[in-house]
Amino acid sequence: MSEKDEILNEELVEETAESVSKSSEKKNQKRWYIVHTYSGYENKVKSNLEKRIEYMNMADKIFRVEVPQKTVTQIKAGRKQEKEEKIFPGYVLVEMIMDEDSWYVVRHTAGVTKFVGSAKKPIPAKESEIKKIIHRSTAQVQKVEMDVKVGEKVRIISGPFAEFVGDITEVYPDKAKLRAMVSIFGRETPVELEYKQIQKL
């Protein structure tokens, strides 16, 4: 073997070792994966998976299981109720190091149908996307829902028009407000009200 061939051979060995090292680094990297579940089973899957992680000693490979949710405020019959609403129904986020063992534990958890990606190669989610999702689920932004619609009659229970009855003409769910026509001194007057100021008749 000539000196030139030896140098090329050494460079090739170094390059191969480097690529193997890089691929093993990638292989052992902690990433977020998205798991598809049966609809309505998201929290059950989270609970089942967390039990399996503990039982099968996989805490060093599977770190977090999240069901992204947001708080929704509903006002029914003048009463305020809060409930958790899933941001992505049918999906669960799992932070893990992907290998055969960790794949098996997650994939064979009751309620899990598949990983997002191909059957043999789950695709990790982008870190930037996961940050947005986690931020959305922890942010205190609340969506207000109310069981009222245009044409319904409501009683005003607070403010300057308390005890008046009005007909809803417009509803603004994003602002938690509505507009109603109220008869004041025999004249129909449009009044803007907050959800908390009214009660359905």
Side-chain angles (χ1 to χ4, degrees):
M1 191 184 284
S2 70
E3 193 178 333
K4 188 180 178 185
D5 286 340
E6 277 181 21
I7 290 167
L8 283 171
N9 197 35
E10 276 176 26
E11 283 176 359
L12 185 63
V13 168
E14 279 174 21
E15 206 174 285
T16 307
E18 198 177 313
S19 65
V20 167
S21 160
K22 276 186 180 171
S23 69
S24 74
E25 272 174 32
K26 270 189 178 178
K27 205 175 179 182
N28 293 324
Q29 201 174 358
K30 185 165 69 169
R31 302 290 297 271
W32 282 96
Y33 292 84
I34 301 169
V35 174
H36 193 269
T37 72
Y38 292 117
S39 186
Y41 279 74
E42 302 86 356
N43 290 329
K44 189 77 176 161
V45 165
K46 175 178 161 71
S47 172
N48 288 343
L49 182 49
E50 285 171 343
K51 283 175 191 165
R52 277 169 67 82
I53 292 164
E54 192 178 339
Y55 175 70
M56 299 175 85
N57 294 318
M58 292 296 287
D60 59 334
K61 288 185 180 177
I62 306 171
F63 309 97
R64 286 170 70 188
V65 184
E66 297 286 343
V67 178
Q69 299 185 127
K70 61 185 173 185
T71 303
V72 175
T73 303
Q74 288 182 316
I75 299 173
K76 287 187 178 180
R79 289 185 183 170
K80 201 173 178 181
Q81 296 173 332
E82 289 190 348
K83 66 167 188 173
E84 293 298 314
E85 190 178 87
K86 289 168 187 67
I87 297 173
F88 301 110
Y91 293 95
V92 172
L93 309 179
V94 184
E95 188 182 33
M96 61 192 282
I97 293 169
M98 180 63 71
D99 65 12
E100 283 181 26
D101 295 334
S102 60
W103 178 90
Y104 182 89
V105 171
V106 176
R107 179 64 189 85
H108 293 280
T109 296
V112 170
T113 58
K114 62 180 181 178
F115 275 94
V116 170
S118 66
K120 291 181 181 176
K121 194 179 178 189
I123 299 168
K126 288 180 183 170
E127 198 64 35
S128 57
E129 287 175 359
I130 293 295
K131 278 179 183 170
K132 279 182 196 168
I133 294 166
I134 300 288
H135 175 70
R136 275 179 71 187
S137 61
T138 53
Q140 292 305 307
V141 178
Q142 293 183 346
K143 185 176 94 179
V144 179
E145 291 181 347
M146 182 149 184
D147 58 339
V148 293
K149 52 183 183 283
V150 172
E152 289 184 327
K153 281 192 181 297
V154 290
R155 183 185 303 282
I156 302 167
I157 55 172
S158 67
F161 303 103
E163 298 309 314
F164 280 89
V165 171
D167 294 302
I168 298 173
T169 55
E170 290 175 83
V171 179
Y172 312 109
D174 53 331
K175 296 177 183 172
K177 290 184 178 181
L178 56 87
R179 192 180 289 270
M181 292 300 282
V182 178
S183 180
I184 302 170
F185 305 123
R187 291 184 63 184
E188 291 293 308
T189 307
V191 176
E192 195 170 272
L193 303 159
E194 291 182 13
Y195 284 176
K196 63 185 179 186
Q197 288 180 276
I198 61 146
Q199 200 171 52
K200 274 177 75 171
L201 289 176

